[in-house]
Amino acid sequence: MNSVTGDESLWEKWFPKVYDSLMGPLERRGFGQIRKKLIQKAHGEVLEIGSGTGLNFPFYEHANKVTAIEPEPRMRELSLPRAQSAQVPIDVILAEAEKLPFPDDFFDTVVCTLVFCTIPNPTKALEEIRRVCKPEGHILLIEHVKIEHRFLGQLQEWLTPFWKRLCDGCHLNRNTLHLVKLAGFKVTSVNRYYKDIFLVVEAINKKQSFF
């Protein structure tokens, strides 16, 4: 485990408490409806990666059950009231995306919203998602990504070291869509919002089934 300074420990303790407040303006300006529309497509046995404070939980309607993983204990604790009041059963467990404690081919849908920017090893996490998701299972993502603009993209590169420290390891410069394709998922839909900063991605887990 990496050691942290006193300032970093204080920030890690503080960030979960203000996360909803920081997201509030964006959610009210239409992001909440984008989130709701995507989450309502989740069905069957659902895995949510990095569920944070549970902002997605009220929008699950067609899932049999949601298993949500969150590596940050304080975030998990803050999400529990939303899990308890959700329309479908939701379990929230402490786990990391790079080491999912689930069997192969278990989930029908995997949901990831604003999480791949912070995962330390996104390639490994996608390998794990591919493993635990059933063949032809669905992947639903909302992620902010590096902009395909010469100046703004470079600005994201410059800001990322500072931004990572400020926002709990968040990378401004990740090309998550590219990583999803490299992992072997078949992307079926991409919608872009807010000057292409945010992508809503739907994909299918194309892998050979031996059954």
Side-chain angles (χ1 to χ4, degrees):
M1 180 178 296
N2 295 331
S3 62
V4 296
T5 67
D7 289 342
E8 287 173 330
S9 296
L10 180 61
W11 172 253
E12 290 171 0
K13 182 177 181 180
W14 179 74
F15 184 77
K17 295 180 180 179
V18 301
Y19 181 80
D20 284 358
S21 296
L22 293 174
M23 287 295 297
L26 182 63
E27 296 288 324
R28 291 189 292 271
R29 290 176 65 86
F31 196 83
Q33 287 302 310
I34 295 170
R35 184 193 295 275
K36 179 179 180 179
K37 183 178 179 181
L38 185 69
I39 298 306
Q40 287 179 337
K41 296 181 180 182
H43 66 278
E45 289 287 335
V46 176
L47 171 65
E48 180 170 340
I49 303 291
S51 52
T53 60
L55 290 176
N56 291 331
F57 293 172
F59 303 136
Y60 285 107
E61 294 182 358
H62 307 296
N64 296 334
K65 179 183 177 182
V66 177
T67 302
I69 68 159
E70 171 54 48
E72 167 53 57
R74 287 171 289 270
M75 284 283 201
R76 176 188 176 276
E77 183 177 355
L78 290 169
S79 76
L80 294 180
R82 288 188 173 117
Q84 292 166 0
S85 62
Q87 301 177 64
V88 303
I90 299 180
D91 287 339
V92 189
I93 66 173
L94 289 171
E96 297 178 354
E98 298 95 332
K99 188 183 293 186
L100 296 175
F102 310 112
D104 297 356
D105 302 336
F106 187 79
F107 294 100
D108 299 288
T109 308
V110 180
V111 171
C112 313
T113 61
L114 304 182
V115 63
F116 271 98
C117 56
T118 60
I119 292 175
N121 188 339
T123 299
K124 178 61 177 175
L126 285 165
E127 290 175 358
E128 279 290 273
I129 289 171
R130 191 158 157 76
R131 177 183 67 81
V132 303
C133 184
K134 294 177 181 178
E136 304 298 318
H138 290 80
I139 315 299
L140 307 176
L141 301 96
I142 303 176
E143 298 293 340
H144 68 79
V145 298
K146 184 176 179 179
I147 305 171
E148 294 181 5
H149 183 282
R150 182 174 180 180
F151 172 73
L152 294 178
Q154 187 60 52
L155 182 61
Q156 287 177 304
E157 294 284 351
W158 291 335
L159 289 175
T160 289
F162 169 76
W163 192 259
K164 284 168 59 180
R165 183 175 177 85
L166 182 66
C167 295
D168 200 30
C170 176
H171 295 69
L172 293 171
N173 59 348
R174 280 195 173 154
N175 189 341
T176 301
L177 179 58
H178 178 64
L179 294 176
V180 168
K181 292 177 179 178
L182 281 180
F185 296 101
K186 180 181 179 181
V187 174
T188 58
S189 175
V190 179
N191 290 297
R192 301 173 185 272
Y193 298 90
Y194 303 100
K195 306 296 184 181
D196 293 348
I197 294 176
F198 292 96
L199 300 185
V200 175
V201 179
E202 298 182 44
I204 296 174
N205 192 21
K206 287 290 184 181
K207 62 181 180 180
Q208 185 174 0
S209 176
F210 296 99
F211 300 96

